[in-house]
Amino acid sequence: MTNSPQEWLAEARRILKPDGTLWVIGSYHNIFRVGATLQDQGFWILNDIIWRKSNPMPNFKGTRFTNAHETLIWAAKSEKARYTFHYRSMKTLNDELQMRSDWVIPICGGKERLKLNGTKAHPTQKPEALLYRILLACTNPGDVVLDPFFGTGTTGAVAKRLQRHWIGCERDSTYCKVAEERIEMALPLDESSLETMQSPKSQPRVAFGQLVENGYLRAGAQLTDKKRRFGAIVRADGSLVWNNKYGSIHKIGALVQNAPSCNGWMFWYYQTREGELKVIDELRQNYLLANEP
């Protein structure tokens, strides 16, 4: 597999379906060259996304600004392509606010960071939350996702979770072995939790969907109120389903109580592995602590 943008983007364009889209991620070292090549080859750029890292690695030499973001380019095959975009799912994932083009997601760390003999298995392993958002936004269950620079298989692991088919190309045999083991361990979501919505401050804001895409709660998990009177199921986009009705943690919380409004963070509880009920706001606080700048 060549690293020349002209060559691999030409191949990507050749095999991309007319209604498919392409995502490229990079830093200032290469993303501008790639963007120009995309346009030269006839791709139609839909968005550039800024992935702002909430916990970037510092610039230890103190010679430049800390590199705290990477740029993603989302492109269609042509200006008139009928591409997939799940606007409503993205809005639900973001606590019913329109998803912006700047995404605050922590870099890969903790248990998610893959290691070999005590060292990082891959120097630039991407967080699963980033790929989760991308695949949820512009693919459907059963779609085929190709990653020509597969690395340790983040794309494949997330595709399996979301019941997308995947193809990965990787020339490093060590990365291939790590990716195979990782994807084998990934658990796919059931079909009911994969259904996503298609129709209608004193501290940093956290959307419930961020907890889902970062694995603090899995799609398919059941939430209940403190007295266990009502139960709702978490879906892949951070919405809840109750009695065939869908909405945010706040909307469904209000609905089950026949109330005008509800603070879903304090109303809904989840069950720990030990069987203890805990309010979901604790997960939000854990997320904030884990991702302090």
Side-chain angles (χ1 to χ4, degrees):
M1 175 68 68
T2 176
N3 285 326
S4 165
Q6 290 83 3
E7 293 183 57
W8 74 260
L9 284 173
E11 285 301 295
R13 183 173 179 81
R14 180 180 66 82
I15 64 174
L16 184 65
K17 290 184 177 181
D19 57 353
T21 54
L22 176 144
W23 287 78
V24 185
I25 182 170
S27 67
Y28 67 92
H29 298 96
N30 54 26
I31 196 63
F32 301 109
R33 182 182 300 111
V34 171
T37 302
L38 277 169
Q39 292 180 306
D40 289 344
Q41 293 192 2
F43 286 95
W44 184 257
I45 294 180
L46 301 168
N47 275 114
D48 65 324
I49 305 291
I50 298 300
W51 166 31
R52 186 158 66 86
K53 304 170 183 179
S54 58
N55 53 343
M57 294 295 292
N59 184 281
F60 292 107
K61 292 183 178 180
T63 55
R64 292 183 293 179
F65 297 109
T66 297
N67 294 324
H69 79 278
E70 292 185 39
T71 301
L72 295 86
I73 298 175
W74 180 35
K77 198 164 187 177
S78 68
E79 182 179 358
K80 296 182 179 181
R82 298 175 62 87
Y83 59 89
T84 296
F85 177 52
H86 297 305
Y87 168 82
R88 175 58 62 177
S89 291
M90 291 295 97
K91 188 174 181 180
T92 305
L93 193 69
N94 198 37
D95 261 3
E96 298 194 336
L97 293 175
Q98 186 178 59
M99 183 72 77
R100 293 161 36 128
S101 62
D102 53 336
W103 298 352
V104 181
I105 296 174
I107 62 174
C108 191
K111 293 182 179 179
E112 186 181 347
R113 169 63 75 174
L114 302 175
K115 294 185 177 181
L116 285 174
N117 301 318
T119 61
K120 295 178 181 178
H122 194 289
T124 59
Q125 180 185 338
K126 299 299 184 288
E128 290 195 5
L130 183 65
L131 273 297
Y132 188 104
R133 189 173 297 188
I134 290 171
L135 296 187
L136 193 65
C138 63
T139 67
N140 296 303
D143 284 353
V144 178
V145 180
L146 167 66
D147 187 341
F149 304 100
F150 203 52
T152 52
T154 303
T155 299
V158 176
K160 182 179 177 182
R161 282 175 58 196
L162 293 174
Q163 292 192 17
R164 278 67 167 166
H165 301 296
W166 58 269
I167 300 171
C169 303
E170 178 54 55
R171 61 187 178 188
D172 188 302
S173 59
T174 300
Y175 293 163
C176 289
K177 185 175 186 300
V178 172
E180 288 173 356
E181 294 176 354
R182 176 187 191 181
I183 295 169
E184 180 67 25
M185 296 292 291
L187 297 175
L189 306 179
D190 62 62
E191 291 185 6
S192 61
S193 64
L194 277 173
E195 294 176 3
T196 53
M197 297 185 68
Q198 299 300 317
S199 59
K201 292 179 191 168
S202 58
Q203 62 180 5
R205 191 181 67 84
V206 177
F208 181 66
Q210 286 178 263
L211 302 185
V212 178
E213 67 184 359
N214 280 281
Y216 283 72
L217 270 178
R218 297 288 187 181
Q222 182 167 5
L223 301 184
T224 182
D225 65 300
K226 190 173 184 179
K227 296 182 179 179
R228 299 181 187 266
R229 296 168 298 172
F230 312 107
I233 302 298
V234 179
R235 299 202 298 174
D237 59 3
S239 62
L240 301 185
V241 55
W242 171 78
N243 281 1
N244 294 322
K245 295 181 173 60
Y246 312 100
S248 69
I249 56 173
H250 314 295
K251 179 179 178 180
I252 297 300
L255 192 63
V256 300
Q257 299 176 88
N258 194 28
S261 62
C262 171
N263 179 354
W265 291 110
M266 303 307 297
F267 177 75
W268 293 109
Y269 285 70
Y270 72 100
Q271 185 169 298
T272 67
R273 292 180 179 179
E274 294 74 30
E276 181 181 1
L277 277 185
K278 288 193 173 184
V279 67
I280 61 172
D281 189 58
E282 289 192 13
L283 295 176
R284 175 169 63 166
Q285 300 308 319
N286 290 341
Y287 178 87
L288 287 169
L289 287 173
N291 297 292
E292 284 183 335

